[in-house]
Amino acid sequence: NAGVTQTPKFQVLKTGQSMTLQCAQDMNHEYMSWYRQDPGMGLRLIHYSVGAGITDQGEVPNGYNVSRSTTEDFPLRLLSAAPSQTSVYFCASRPQGGSLNTEAFFGQGTRLTVV
Amino acid sequence: LAKTTQPISMDSYEGQEVNITCSHNNIATNDYITWYQQFPSQGPRFIIQGYKTKVTNEVASLFIPADRKSSTLSLPRVSLSDTAVYYCLVASFGSASKIIFGSGTRLSIRP
């Protein structure tokens, strides 16, 4: 199993551009989420999903959209990139709530710079 | 969601036992306590999880008192490779449960 795969690993955008960060998992996990991590800071939840077709906002959702058409994929879309969105983005997945296993698996991150 | 409070940073030396305490005064009945470790430029990695009393695995021990308002992650005989940020999280098993990270504890191990 590959676990959680994020693409791209690095990206530079110009202010105002849009792009989609990809996240895929092969563990059949229902729960997926996106975080951003600014230098020297903790992770902040952007959006999350508890299953295909179901998404909800996290702590810092503004400027981002998500969709969950399949169990495997959870893309994060930046609508109009701003320098404040320069950060490292992590995608995570974990088994469905109700399981005794709450271990979340994280991808390796996407380092995004907006100039 | 139960908020967690942990020290911003800690220092220790190789071979020592390190204990990191996390406060979660508003923990709910169906909440579990989980600890993650994060190395620079990597995503967080699950270390240990518990509900009450003591849990031990090959990496760490987790001590949770009866009132569950705090928990202590214990790392036995740390090495330089244990230098990382450690996050304490509280989350329920509910299907709509969000996983919220706090600021974490930056642990530095010296030779």
Side-chain angles (χ1 to χ4, degrees):
Chain A
N1 289 347
V4 179
T5 303
Q6 292 184 233
T7 55
K9 288 186 170 52
F10 301 93
Q11 183 70 49
V12 178
L13 288 179
K14 293 183 179 179
T15 297
Q17 285 185 315
S18 64
M19 80 158 293
T20 299
L21 307 186
Q22 300 292 344
C23 176
Q25 53 93 7
D26 60 1
M27 297 171 283
N28 202 32
H29 287 166
E30 289 81 2
Y31 184 101
M32 295 185 74
S33 53
W34 276 102
Y35 295 87
R36 62 175 288 176
Q37 186 172 36
D38 299 334
M41 307 293 286
L43 287 84
R44 291 185 291 172
L45 181 64
I46 304 172
H47 285 286
Y48 68 103
S49 169
V50 298
I54 306 170
T55 64
D56 206 347
Q57 297 181 347
E59 303 171 280
V60 288
N62 292 340
Y64 307 94
N65 272 355
V66 291
S67 59
R68 185 93 180 271
S69 56
T70 66
T71 299
E72 295 78 19
D73 300 299
F74 190 44
L76 177 72
R77 184 166 179 80
L78 277 71
L79 308 173
S80 177
S84 61
Q85 293 179 304
T86 294
S87 190
V88 180
Y89 291 83
F90 289 103
C91 178
S93 75
R94 72 175 172 92
Q96 182 181 15
S99 163
L100 290 180
N101 180 8
T102 62
E103 177 178 354
F105 295 83
F106 284 80
Q108 285 302 300
T110 295
R111 188 174 298 274
L112 175 68
T113 302
V114 182
V115 298
Chain B
L1 293 174
K3 181 179 178 180
T4 60
T5 303
Q6 41 183 135
I8 294 174
S9 64
M10 294 180 66
D11 296 322
S12 188
Y13 293 91
E14 280 192 297
Q16 298 294 307
E17 178 185 73
V18 171
N19 296 312
I20 306 174
T21 297
C22 178
S23 246
H24 27 79
N25 291 322
N26 296 323
I27 191 168
T29 302
N30 60 343
D31 284 341
Y32 281 70
I33 301 148
T34 311
W35 286 80
Y36 285 80
Q37 174 191 56
Q38 187 181 26
F39 297 116
S41 302
Q42 294 186 24
R45 182 176 72 103
F46 174 91
I47 300 176
I48 198 166
Q49 169 194 290
Y51 184 79
K52 62 180 177 181
T53 64
K54 177 184 174 182
V55 179
T56 297
N57 62 21
E58 65 278 6
V59 176
S61 294
L62 178 60
F63 298 90
I64 305 169
D67 66 6
R68 304 199 327 122
K69 292 184 183 298
S70 66
S71 59
T72 298
L73 175 72
S74 181
L75 305 172
R77 299 168 111 165
V78 294
S79 65
L80 295 176
S81 64
D82 291 314
T83 293
V85 178
Y86 292 81
Y87 295 96
C88 165
L89 289 80
V90 172
S92 75
F93 285 162
S95 61
S97 174
K98 296 186 283 191
I99 300 180
I100 302 295
F101 281 78
S103 301
T105 296
R106 189 172 299 273
L107 177 65
S108 298
I109 306 301
R110 302 176 181 177

